[in-house]
């Protein structure tokens, strides 16, 4: 099992450009999450999904959109990138079982917006 | 909503010493408290967790304690080794409630040989 993978690993954008970050998991997990990590801020939830075809807003959703068309994939989109979106983005997933709450994280995508 | 405070933000210890990281949470509905370790350039990885019906949990050199009344929980690492150097995050989760993991801001632990 590859676990949680993220594409791309690094990206540099200019202000106003758009891009999509891809998260894929091969563990048949129901729940998927997108976080951003900024220095001194910990991880903050952007959007999440509790199953295929569903999405919900997290703590910092503005400027981002998401889609979960397939259970194994969770896409994060930036329609018009801004320098404030320079960050490291992490995707995570977990099972939908009462006794298993552990979230498994991907390796991250480092995004720089100039 | 939930708010998690984590202290200290940096911690430097000598190899073999113990390290303690403390977190407080605000939402009494939170019932699951994981600790994640993040090595440089990698994603966070779960190292230990505790549920609200348990006061303490140990796994080899790592232990976590929970005080529900005071709403705080702590990570204890004994006999520290250089490979313990990393950033550690605490988090709080309300299962059956918000179902969202709220993280502390992290502690950078350095273990000096």
């Amino acid at each position: 099992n590859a676990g949680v993978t993220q594409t791309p690993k690094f990206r540099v954008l200019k202000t106003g450009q758009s891009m999509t970050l891809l998260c894929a998991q091969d563990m048949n997990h129901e729940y998927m999450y997108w976080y951003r990590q900024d220095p001194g801020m910990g991880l903050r939830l952007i959007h999440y999904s509790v199953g295929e075809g569903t999405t919900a807003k997290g703590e910092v959703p503005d400027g981002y959109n998401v889609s979960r068309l397939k259970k194994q994939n969770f896409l994060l989109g930036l329609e018009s990138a801004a320098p404030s979106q320079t960050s490291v983005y992490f995707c995570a997933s977990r099972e939908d079982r009462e006794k298993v709450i552990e979230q498994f994280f991907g390796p991250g995508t480092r995004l720089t917006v100039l | 909503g939930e708010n998690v405070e984590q202290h200290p933000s940096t911690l430097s210890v000598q190899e073999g010493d113990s390290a303690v990281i403390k977190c407080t949470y605000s939402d009494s509905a939170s019932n699951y408290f994981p600790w994640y370790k993040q090595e440089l350039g990698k994603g966070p990885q779960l190292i230990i967790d505790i549920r609200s019906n348990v006061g303490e949990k140990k796994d080899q050199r790592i232990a976590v304690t929970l005080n529900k009344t005071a709403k705080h929980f702590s990570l204890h690492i004994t006999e520290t080794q250089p490979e313990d150097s990393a950033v550690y995050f605490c988090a709080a989760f309300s299962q059956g409630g918000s179902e969202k993991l709220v993280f502390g801001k992290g502690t950078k632990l350095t273990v000096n040989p």
Side-chain angles (χ1 to χ4, degrees):
Chain A
N1 284 356
V4 180
T5 58
Q6 293 183 232
T7 309
K9 290 185 169 50
F10 304 93
R11 185 72 185 268
V12 178
L13 289 179
K14 294 181 179 178
T15 297
Q17 287 185 318
S18 63
M19 79 162 295
T20 300
L21 282 68
L22 171 64
C23 176
Q25 52 91 7
D26 61 2
M27 297 174 283
N28 202 35
H29 285 175
E30 288 291 336
Y31 288 63
M32 296 187 75
Y33 306 83
W34 275 108
Y35 295 90
R36 60 176 289 173
Q37 184 176 34
D38 302 294
M41 297 294 291
L43 289 97
R44 293 182 291 169
L45 183 64
I46 305 171
H47 285 283
Y48 64 103
S49 168
V50 300
E52 182 178 318
T54 75
T55 63
K57 293 181 180 179
E59 182 186 358
V60 288
D62 294 343
Y64 305 95
N65 56 74
V66 288
S67 64
R68 183 97 182 269
L69 299 179
K70 293 183 179 181
K71 185 177 183 179
Q72 64 268 33
N73 296 338
F74 195 27
L75 279 63
L76 178 70
L78 286 74
E79 290 184 347
S80 179
S84 60
Q85 294 177 304
T86 293
S87 188
V88 181
Y89 292 86
F90 288 99
C91 176
S93 70
R94 76 168 178 97
E95 294 183 69
D96 178 21
R97 284 202 289 138
E98 183 177 328
K99 294 189 176 180
V100 180
I101 309 177
E102 178 183 358
Q103 291 188 18
F104 293 83
F105 283 81
T109 294
R110 183 174 294 275
L111 175 66
T112 301
V113 182
L114 302 175
Chain B
E2 176 65 277
N3 183 50
V4 177
E5 299 282 343
Q6 183 172 346
H7 299 280
S9 56
T10 60
L11 180 59
S12 182
V13 300
Q14 290 299 123
E15 183 176 358
D17 287 350
S18 295
V20 180
I21 303 170
K22 299 183 179 182
C23 289
T24 60
Y25 61 99
S26 61
D27 187 354
S28 57
S30 290
N31 50 20
Y32 172 72
F33 306 92
W35 285 88
Y36 283 83
K37 176 183 181 182
Q38 185 178 27
E39 296 177 341
L40 197 61
K42 297 185 178 180
Q45 185 171 15
L46 181 73
I47 55 171
I48 195 166
D49 55 15
I50 191 167
R51 291 177 182 266
S52 58
N53 58 351
V54 175
E56 182 175 2
K57 185 176 178 181
K58 291 184 76 172
D59 183 4
Q60 298 183 338
R61 296 187 295 108
I62 294 173
V64 57
T65 59
L66 171 65
N67 183 327
K68 281 194 303 181
T69 304
K71 296 200 189 77
H72 66 69
F73 56 113
S74 300
L75 177 71
H76 304 254
I77 305 174
T78 58
E79 300 172 19
T80 53
Q81 300 167 3
E83 50 265 39
D84 293 328
S85 296
V87 179
Y88 291 82
F89 292 96
C90 63
F93 182 89
S94 175
Q95 187 175 22
S98 68
E99 293 276 345
K100 297 174 188 174
L101 203 54
V102 178
F103 286 85
K105 294 183 178 180
T107 296
K108 183 177 181 180
L109 173 65
T110 303
V111 180
N112 301 301

